[in-house]
């Protein structure tokens, strides 16, 4: 079975694939690509609720993913690149049923991936699976999914974030006027990255543009703090542990911290596509060709000729 981006193409039926790497291969315009083992990925997500992380008493919960950023460190290219994923992205989202068992998929917004499960590790990993499926079957190495409460805490730990406003945002603060540079601290940082319906054009696309600005400034400040304090990331995660679900232990956090310290400022990428109003909500449809090319650029490498 050959995996073509976005669909399956049957070839040489009955042949057994014994190489795991081969099962991850994708084909675009006849070219075979394999996951690049020198790319380390970390998924950062934010859910749209406040309060400490708690377990739902059902196999469903009331939390949706509001923010998704996949950080990729390429050891060969000495680069850090961050892919912003629109929470309205329409795709076949993996569904969990009773007992956290797989119950197939449902075509809906990727934001709903976290709604399945208890709201803890199973929900976080379902979101990870959704992102992996969206990007051709890549493997996410580590993840951290946080409640809204974590943002002001982490923001202030790095010393706040400076942004130059591209539009008037008086709904956040009367002093937030276009072309002015402001330092986001505390609740203002949360509002800048979270508010949507009552500011600008009310779309998630506009919010993503603000999040791009914020992530770039936050990453630079985070890196500066890590360079100055070799244990900073561990302390930061400890400060928000009640609001976060992660698969990182101390060793993995140190590995992640070393990547942040080693690589230069991040390049920000977004997925091209079209936002349309569905029956109830805005739905984002990625341009599959451009998504495939971006996926290959960030996470894959051309296979050597056989």
């Amino acid at each position: 079975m050959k995996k073509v981006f976005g669909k399956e193409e049957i070839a040489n039926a009955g042949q057994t694939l014994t190489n795991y790497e081969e099962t991850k291969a994708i084909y675009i315009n006849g070219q075979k690509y394999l996951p690049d083992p020198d790319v380390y990925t970390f998924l950062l997500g934010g859910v749209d609720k406040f309060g400490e992380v708690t377990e739902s008493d059902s196999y469903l919960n009331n939390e949706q993913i509001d923010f998704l950023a996949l950080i990729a460190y390429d050891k060969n290219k000495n680069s850090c690149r961050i892919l912003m994923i629109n929470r309205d992205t329409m795709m076949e989202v993996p569904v969990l049923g009773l007992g956290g068992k797989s119950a197939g998929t449902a075509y809906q917004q990727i934001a709903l991936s976290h709604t399945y499960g208890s709201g803890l590790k199973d929900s976080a990993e379902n979101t990870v699976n959704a992102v992996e499926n969206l990007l051709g079957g890549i493997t996410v190495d580590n993840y951290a999914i946080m409640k809204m409460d974590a943002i002001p805490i982490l923001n202030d730990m790095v010393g706040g974030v400076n942004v130059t406003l591209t539009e008037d945002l008086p709904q956040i603060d009367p002093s937030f006027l276009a072309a002015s540079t402001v330092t986001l601290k505390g609740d203002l940082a949360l509002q800048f990255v979270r508010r949507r319906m009552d500011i600008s054009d009310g779309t998630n696309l506009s919010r993503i543009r603000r999040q791009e600005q914020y992530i770039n400034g936050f990453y630079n400040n985070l890196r500066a703090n890590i360079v100055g304090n070799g244990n900073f990331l561990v302390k930061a995660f400890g400060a928000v542990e009640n609001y976060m679900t992660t698969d990182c232990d101390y060793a993995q956090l140190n590995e992640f911290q070393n990547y942040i310290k080693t690589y230069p400022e991040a390049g920000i990428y977004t997925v091209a596509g079209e936002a349309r109003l569905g029956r109830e909500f805005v739905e984002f449809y990625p341009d599959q060709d451009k998504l495939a090319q971006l996926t290959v650029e960030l996470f894959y490498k051309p296979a050597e000729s056989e």
Side-chain angles (χ1 to χ4, degrees):
M1 179 177 291
K2 289 185 178 180
K3 186 173 183 182
V4 182
F5 202 92
K7 62 180 180 180
E8 300 290 346
E9 177 186 278
I10 304 299
N12 300 321
Q15 202 173 45
T16 301
L17 291 175
T18 57
N19 188 325
Y20 173 77
E21 186 181 55
E22 182 68 19
T23 68
K24 293 286 187 176
I26 62 176
Y27 295 78
I28 301 176
N29 299 326
Q31 172 66 54
K32 177 181 176 181
Y33 297 89
L34 294 171
D36 191 337
D38 290 321
V39 175
Y40 169 81
T41 55
F42 191 100
L43 181 65
L44 182 63
V47 297
D48 63 348
K49 298 294 181 182
F50 290 88
E52 296 186 358
V53 173
T54 57
E55 184 174 8
S56 169
D57 58 3
S58 171
Y59 64 94
L60 296 173
N61 63 80
N62 64 350
E63 298 174 353
Q64 296 183 18
I65 287 290
D66 229 20
F67 166 83
L68 278 173
L70 185 58
I71 309 170
Y73 294 97
D74 191 317
K75 302 172 190 175
N76 285 327
K77 297 178 181 176
N78 193 35
S79 68
C80 169
R81 296 182 286 187
I82 301 176
L83 176 62
M84 308 286 291
I85 300 173
N86 193 323
R87 53 107 52 212
D88 296 333
T89 298
M90 298 296 291
M91 63 169 293
E92 291 291 342
V93 172
V95 173
L96 300 179
L98 291 171
K101 295 180 179 180
S102 174
T105 64
Y107 191 69
Q108 55 192 356
Q109 294 172 330
I110 196 172
L112 296 171
S113 59
H114 194 274
T115 303
Y116 299 102
S118 66
L120 302 179
K121 185 177 179 181
D122 53 350
S123 298
E125 292 183 350
N126 199 55
T127 295
V128 169
N129 290 338
V131 170
E132 291 177 337
N133 293 343
L134 176 70
L135 300 176
I138 69 162
T139 297
V140 171
D141 293 303
N142 292 113
Y143 67 82
I145 308 295
M146 303 180 183
K147 294 285 194 75
M148 291 292 105
D149 310 70
I151 294 175
I153 297 172
L154 295 175
N155 177 87
D156 291 358
M157 285 188 73
V158 302
V161 173
N162 293 334
V163 296
T164 299
L165 303 176
T166 59
E167 58 188 332
D168 294 341
L169 298 173
Q171 298 89 343
I172 295 179
D173 189 278
S175 67
F176 280 20
L177 302 177
S180 61
T181 298
V182 299
T183 300
L184 298 172
K185 290 192 174 182
D187 185 62
L188 289 180
L190 175 59
Q191 290 193 59
F192 186 81
V193 299
R194 183 172 187 251
R195 284 181 72 165
R196 173 176 55 136
M197 301 298 291
D198 63 339
I199 61 176
S200 189
D201 61 4
T203 68
N204 195 51
L205 292 175
S206 292
R207 181 168 62 175
I208 285 178
R209 286 192 288 270
R210 292 193 298 275
Q211 291 172 347
E212 284 182 60
Q213 275 187 289
Y214 180 83
I215 283 291
N216 191 53
F218 180 88
Y219 183 86
N220 290 337
N221 289 359
L222 175 64
R223 186 169 179 270
N225 277 276
I226 287 174
V227 169
N229 179 350
N231 208 33
F232 183 82
L233 190 63
V234 174
K235 291 181 178 179
F237 269 49
V240 297
E241 63 179 345
N242 291 335
Y243 308 111
M244 175 179 64
T245 302
T246 183
D247 64 345
C248 287
D249 57 22
Y250 182 84
Q252 289 166 323
L253 279 179
N254 271 321
E255 181 182 12
F256 184 31
Q257 182 167 267
N258 286 334
Y259 281 120
I260 296 173
K261 182 168 58 177
T262 302
Y263 293 93
E265 66 181 53
I268 310 293
Y269 294 75
T270 56
V271 179
E274 180 185 3
R276 301 199 297 261
L277 183 62
R279 290 185 177 181
E280 295 183 72
F281 307 105
V282 173
E283 300 171 349
F284 180 76
Y285 293 87
D287 181 311
Q288 290 297 324
D289 290 336
K290 291 181 179 178
L291 176 58
Q293 293 298 331
L294 183 58
T295 298
V296 165
E297 179 184 348
L298 297 182
F299 310 110
Y300 280 76
K301 65 177 183 179
E304 296 180 1
S305 300
E306 298 177 351

